[in-house]
Structures are given as C-alpha cells and as structure tokens.
Amino acid sequence: MRNRSFFSVCMVLVLSTVLFSCSREDDPPATNPDENWPSDSIRVLKGGLNFPWEIVWGKDEHLWLTERGGRVSRIDPRTGETLFSTTLDGVVARGEGGLLGMVQDPAFAQNGWIYFVHNYLEGDAYREKLVRYRFTGGALADAKVLLDNIPAANIHNGSRLVIVEGNPAVLYMTTGDAANTALAQQPGSLAGKVLRILLDGSVPGDNPVAGNYYWSLGHRNPQGLVWANNKLYASEHGPNIEDEINIIEKGRNYGWPSVNGPCDPGEQAFCDANQVKEPIWSSGASTVAACGLDYYGSDRIPGWKNSLLMTTLKNATLFRHQLNAEGTAIQSTEQLFRTRWGRLRDVCVSPAGRVYLCTSNGNNQDILVEISSLE
C-alpha cells in the first residue's frame, strides 16, 4: 500500500509539470507516457467544419477552433467531440473576412479571457476589431472591445494573434492592407501592420511611436504568427510572387507594396532608404499562399525539432522549414502531405508534440487532422 501511494504521488508530480500552451509560444514540449491516447499516427479528428481559421491548444488541455462564419468551438482532442460551441454576435463574413484570429490569456485558467479578431459593419463600412470575452459557466460573456475601426475588405484582413508573457504581457496582431496597398506604408493606419497591444487594449509605452499601436509596417497580408526562440515569426501572402516568412522587429519596414520578397536591384533604393528587413524565406517566382505558422520544438516526430511548420492554401501542402540553431535563418525546406486534404489554413502544435491541421475547402466539408507520428 505504501509503494502504491508513493507511485501515485510521483505520477501527480509528473503530470503537474506538463505545460498546456499551444503553439504560438516558445514553451518546452511536454510529454506524458501514460496518455491513453488513440494510437493512430494520422487521423481525421473532426469533420463537418466550414472554413475554420484558427486552432489553439487551450490551457484547459482542449482544442479551440474558430470558423469564419462566427462559430467558436471547444473540442476534446482525444475523441473529437465538440464540448462547447457558440456563434459570436456581430461577426460579418464577407469573402475572406469573418471570425479570424484567437488566443487565450496567459491566466486563462483563472480569468477565462479569450481574445478574438473579427470583421463587422460600422454603418456601411466593413471593419475589423479585437474583442476580449470571458469563458465562464460554459459560455462566452462580458465582451469588451479592445481595438476597433481597423480597415477591412473582402480580402487581406490578416489576422493572427500571439501573446508574449512579460511584465507586462503584450499581444501581437497582424492586419492586412485591406486591398488598399498604400495603407501598409502609412504609420497612422492600422492596416498592413503587425500591431502591439497591452492586454487591456492600451498602447505599450515602448512601441516605436508614442500612442501608436504599430510595431512593424509594410505588410500585405500576414496570416501566420508565432513566438519562438525569443523571436516573432510571421508568414505572409505575396501578390503573385514571393510569399514570405519574416522575423518581425520593432519599427521595421517590410517593404510592401514597393518590395516583394528580398530586395531586388530595382527595389534596392527603397530598401536602403527605409531600412527594409528582408525575409528569411520566400517562395520566389510563384506563390504557395502561405498561411498558418507554428513552431515545432518536440522530440515526438524525429527530424522536425526546431522547425517552423507552415500551411499553404494554393499549394495544399504543409511546409517544414528547418531553422538554424539561432533561429535566424532557414536551412532547408520540406514539403509534406501535398494535396492530401486540400487547402490547409492553420497549424497548431500541442505541448506533447502532436500537430493539428485544418483545411479551408468550404461547403461544410472541412476537417481537423491530428498528426501524432509520420506513417
């Protein structure tokens, strides 16, 4: 009996060390040898979705998912059962717009806060806003608008969210140029930017410009964002050439619309004058429609450690970008699962190293896929 009790105490201590934060943060991978998880290497966890956008591994050990039409769902990652689902008020889905990015508060277990980005109507004007809800009593309540009146359009709305813990914690948000390319180079516009926001919606005092939310400018349509290696990585759609992966730095210009990808000879003058930060990867003479982005730091899938995983729509492929030890460059790129499930919108890595993908094919035929190991 004493040995059995000692074993139970040890197991509780082991389990208490597991970190349940999805992706988008550079936390050490967590493993649990007695998970009682389905043994499938690759499985379709859930079907019947319609244009899912964001996958988050919640701090409650469940998957959270947004769909562009406005639905938010909480899903059991073992069974695929939907345990909670609701539709947010005021979401207006047009073209590529609707309910987009989502992230949980670092103290979600205590305060229940979840942050969402969605498009809405202000009179006849299509706009975008950042809203915080509280998950309590099995429902989303206490909506608070943190930032609104962001330009939006049927295309190029961003939007991904990442919270980086610190004193204070800050939230990064990507926005697209809302089909108005000139806005990306205007510091006074919220469009075509990576924004940096305090969790109460105010402007951090150390942003590049006092009272201004922008952290970086010159973006076309960044739809992937992850914090890893103490760096902020973003993936971005190019026009018809040069999708990009960038390391986002304070106050830097990323060139759009004057620069596509690396600085070519015809773009060099603009790059020099504006201190343009060049991407660490680009797709070259064509596009793959780079979308969701996450960091893989686990030992679960051999050979994937210290990689950026990126979903693509047009190419319908999961890209694995192997980083160097410092995380400052991409050493090699591998393409996986090409056209197996169709267009891929987002990717999420759980603390245990499982990878989750969602498709973007429409007609209520979209799926959520779990990859526990390679076949």
Side-chain angles (χ1 to χ4, degrees):
M1 180 64 72
R2 181 178 297 174
N3 289 340
R4 184 174 300 171
S5 298
F6 177 76
F7 176 79
S8 299
V9 170
C10 288
M11 286 304 295
V12 169
L13 289 173
V14 169
L15 289 172
S16 70
T17 64
V18 176
L19 300 176
F20 296 110
S21 62
C22 179
S23 63
R24 320 304 198 260
E25 294 191 17
D26 189 16
D27 289 333
T31 57
N32 179 357
D34 189 25
E35 290 170 321
N36 191 29
W37 211 272
S39 60
D40 311 63
S41 298
I42 299 174
R43 62 179 175 138
V44 175
L45 184 63
K46 192 167 192 66
L49 303 171
N50 197 44
F51 292 120
W53 183 273
E54 183 86 63
I55 315 168
V56 166
W57 182 274
K59 299 179 187 303
D60 56 356
E61 307 172 46
H62 286 71
L63 287 166
W64 289 74
L65 184 107
T66 65
E67 295 171 74
R68 265 194 343 233
R71 185 165 62 178
V72 182
S73 300
R74 179 176 180 259
I75 299 167
D76 187 325
R78 286 178 172 84
T79 66
E81 179 185 2
T82 298
L83 304 176
F84 163 79
S85 184
T86 191
T87 299
L88 296 188
D89 292 335
V91 175
V92 178
R94 288 184 177 179
E96 297 172 6
L99 178 57
L100 304 175
M102 169 179 57
V103 69
Q104 290 184 347
D105 193 90
F108 173 81
Q110 290 75 44
N111 60 31
W113 288 347
I114 310 180
Y115 305 80
F116 299 95
V117 172
H118 72 79
N119 297 111
Y120 69 103
L121 283 176
E122 185 69 47
D124 294 330
Y126 201 45
R127 293 288 184 263
E128 186 164 277
K129 62 183 172 182
L130 172 67
V131 185
R132 188 185 72 200
Y133 283 79
R134 185 188 305 276
F135 184 64
T136 180
L140 290 175
D142 303 332
K144 179 180 179 180
V145 176
L146 301 182
L147 181 60
D148 61 4
N149 204 31
I150 301 168
N154 287 9
I155 57 174
H156 299 189
N157 298 302
S159 170
R160 298 289 177 187
L161 301 175
V162 163
I163 292 176
V164 177
E165 296 188 49
N167 188 22
V170 292
L171 182 150
Y172 293 92
M173 172 182 172
T174 69
T175 66
D177 67 13
N180 183 346
T181 60
L183 298 180
Q185 289 293 326
Q186 296 175 11
S189 172
L190 295 171
K193 308 291 187 296
V194 174
L195 308 177
R196 184 170 178 263
I197 307 159
L198 293 177
L199 300 188
D200 63 0
S202 61
V203 179
D206 58 346
N207 272 12
V209 175
N212 193 314
Y213 287 104
Y214 104 83
W215 185 251
S216 64
L217 51 72
H219 297 286
R220 183 176 182 267
N221 192 20
Q223 290 190 350
L225 194 66
V226 62
W227 178 264
N229 301 313
N230 203 34
K231 296 174 179 61
L232 188 64
Y233 299 91
S235 55
E236 183 163 347
H237 290 269
N240 49 21
I241 58 172
E242 307 286 15
D243 287 342
E244 300 177 0
I245 294 178
N246 291 293
I247 297 176
I248 304 301
E249 296 179 353
K250 178 180 181 178
R252 295 301 294 271
N253 193 322
Y254 290 80
W256 176 256
S258 297
V259 180
N260 295 318
C263 296
D264 297 328
E267 302 166 336
Q268 195 62 54
F270 183 92
C271 290
D272 292 343
N274 295 276
Q275 295 184 311
V276 167
K277 174 76 174 176
E278 296 186 80
I280 62 171
W281 174 88
S282 71
S283 60
S286 61
T287 57
V288 296
C291 204
L293 191 68
D294 210 343
Y295 176 75
Y296 199 84
S298 175
D299 293 316
R300 175 178 288 277
I301 301 179
W304 281 23
K305 194 166 186 177
N306 196 33
S307 295
L308 293 173
L309 302 182
M310 182 183 78
T311 55
T312 64
L313 298 165
K314 178 180 172 182
N315 213 49
T317 299
L318 178 68
F319 279 60
R320 184 182 71 84
H321 299 290
Q322 185 68 53
L323 292 165
N324 64 0
E326 297 76 25
T328 56
I330 289 173
Q331 295 180 324
S332 62
T333 295
E334 178 184 16
Q335 298 185 35
L336 301 151
F337 310 114
R338 183 173 175 82
T339 71
R340 178 165 176 172
W341 299 294
R343 292 160 58 88
L344 300 179
R345 174 64 69 179
D346 196 25
V347 56
C348 171
V349 180
S350 79
R354 291 185 174 86
V355 176
Y356 296 89
L357 306 174
C358 64
T359 65
S360 186
N361 299 313
N363 296 318
N364 296 301
Q365 297 297 311
D366 285 311
I367 60 175
L368 177 63
V369 177
E370 178 191 78
I371 302 168
S372 293
S373 63
L374 296 181
E375 296 176 309

